[in-house]
Structures are given as C-alpha cells and as structure tokens.
C-alpha cells in the first residue's frame, strides 16, 4: 500500500514538473527565435526591420523607428566593429529580492569583432500581454588583453 502511494506521489510530481518546464521552454524558444533574428539584423543586415520590429514591446516600438534601427546598426559597426559569428552564450533571468522572478529575461550573444575584441550583445525581454517581447538591446565591446607567452620551464 505504501509503495503504491509513494509511486502515485512521485508520478504526480514528475507530471507537474514536466508541465511547468514545458511552459518555460516554450517561452525560451520564442525568445531565442526573436533574439536570433534581432542579432542577425543588427550585425549582418540579413533580417529586415519589418521582421524584427514585430517582436518589440509597445514602448520600444515607439522609440525604435526604422531610422533609429539603422542608426543602431551603424553605431555598432562604427563603435564595436563588424561582428562575426555571434553565438548565444547565456540566459539571465532577472530576480527581485521582494517579488522573485520579475518576468525579465536577457539573452546574451558574443561574437568576434576584431583580433583582440569581442562584442557582447544583450537582447532584453519582458512579458507584454502574456507574451515575451523585446524591450531593450545593449551592445558593448569587450577588449581582450593580449596573452603573454607562458614562461619556459627552468630546470
């Protein structure tokens, strides 16, 4: 009897955990698809403004006009360099000590921008009407310190 009860409890926990994970994975998949398109648009001119602007939240949609989007793209090229091979590297979930998870996610991409430089591109998402929407874009250069040669072993 105890084995059956324990099995039933474990089965219900497994089912509820998989249902919760399914919702999180659907949100992440939607965010990753939108972020991939945004990174491609601002680094390689391969995606049109009309396509990525559909993923903007209402506030960003008001300020990120097509002209401002083109300026952002040009500023990245001028201030950081040509970004090659940007790859998704990190998902940050924002937490507040008072309320816990606040619904804001940050997907971070890194790409080569020169011999001793990489670009860090963060696409920030917030929920709007239950769907994740892009609420911000941050692109920063990261200059790498040249590696000194390893000292030779002295014997």
């Amino acid at each position: 009897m105890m084995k059956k009860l324990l099995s039933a409890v474990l089965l219900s926990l497994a089912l509820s955990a998989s249902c919760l994970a399914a919702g999180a994975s659907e949100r992440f998949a939607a965010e990753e698809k939108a972020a991939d398109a945004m990174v491609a648009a601002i680094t390689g001119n391969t995606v049109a403004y009309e396509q990525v602007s559909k993923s903007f939240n209402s506030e960003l949609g008001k300020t990120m006009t097509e002209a401002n989007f083109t300026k952002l793209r040009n500023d990245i090229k001028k201030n950081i360099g040509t970004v090659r091979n940007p790859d998704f590297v990190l998902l940050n979930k924002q937490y507040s000590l008072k309320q816990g998870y606040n619904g804001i996610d940050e997907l971070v991409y890194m790409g080569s921008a020169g011999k001793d430089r990489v670009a860090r591109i963060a696409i920030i998402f917030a929920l709007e009407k239950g769907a994740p929407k892009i609420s911000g874009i941050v692109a920063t250069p990261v200059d790498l310190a040249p590696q000194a040669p390893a000292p030779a072993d002295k014997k």
Side-chain angles (χ1 to χ4, degrees):
M1 177 71 172
M2 188 62 149
K3 284 184 179 181
K4 288 183 182 180
L5 180 61
L6 185 58
S7 296
V9 168
L10 289 175
L11 181 61
S12 67
L13 286 174
L15 286 174
S16 64
S18 67
C19 290
L20 289 173
S25 68
E26 287 175 15
R27 176 175 176 177
F28 173 69
E31 289 175 346
E32 187 177 29
K33 182 178 178 181
D36 284 348
M38 176 59 75
V39 170
I42 62 176
T43 62
N45 298 338
T46 57
V47 179
Y49 169 80
E50 293 79 24
Q51 182 180 345
V52 294
S53 64
K54 295 175 187 174
S55 299
F56 295 168
N57 71 357
S58 57
E59 189 175 320
L60 184 63
K62 291 175 189 172
T63 58
M64 186 63 74
T65 62
E66 189 166 5
N68 287 341
F69 183 78
T70 301
K71 183 179 181 323
L72 171 68
R73 185 185 300 170
N74 293 338
D75 286 349
I76 289 171
K77 193 168 205 165
K78 177 183 170 191
N79 298 324
I80 297 175
T82 300
V83 181
R84 289 177 292 285
N85 304 319
D87 288 317
F88 171 71
V89 295
L90 180 67
L91 167 65
N92 284 325
K93 296 180 112 12
Q94 303 287 320
Y95 284 86
S96 162
L97 293 175
K98 291 183 179 178
Q99 71 184 52
Y101 177 58
N102 62 11
I104 298 173
D105 293 342
E106 175 187 43
L107 277 68
V108 178
Y109 291 72
M110 301 287 277
S112 172
K115 182 179 177 193
D116 293 323
R117 178 177 268 197
V118 294
R120 180 187 188 277
I121 301 169
I123 310 298
I124 297 115
F125 287 86
L127 288 178
E128 184 173 272
K129 298 179 184 172
K133 295 290 187 174
I134 296 174
S135 61
I137 304 151
V138 180
T140 53
V142 179
D143 292 317
L144 306 174
Q147 293 286 332
D153 288 336
K154 296 180 182 177
K155 291 186 180 188

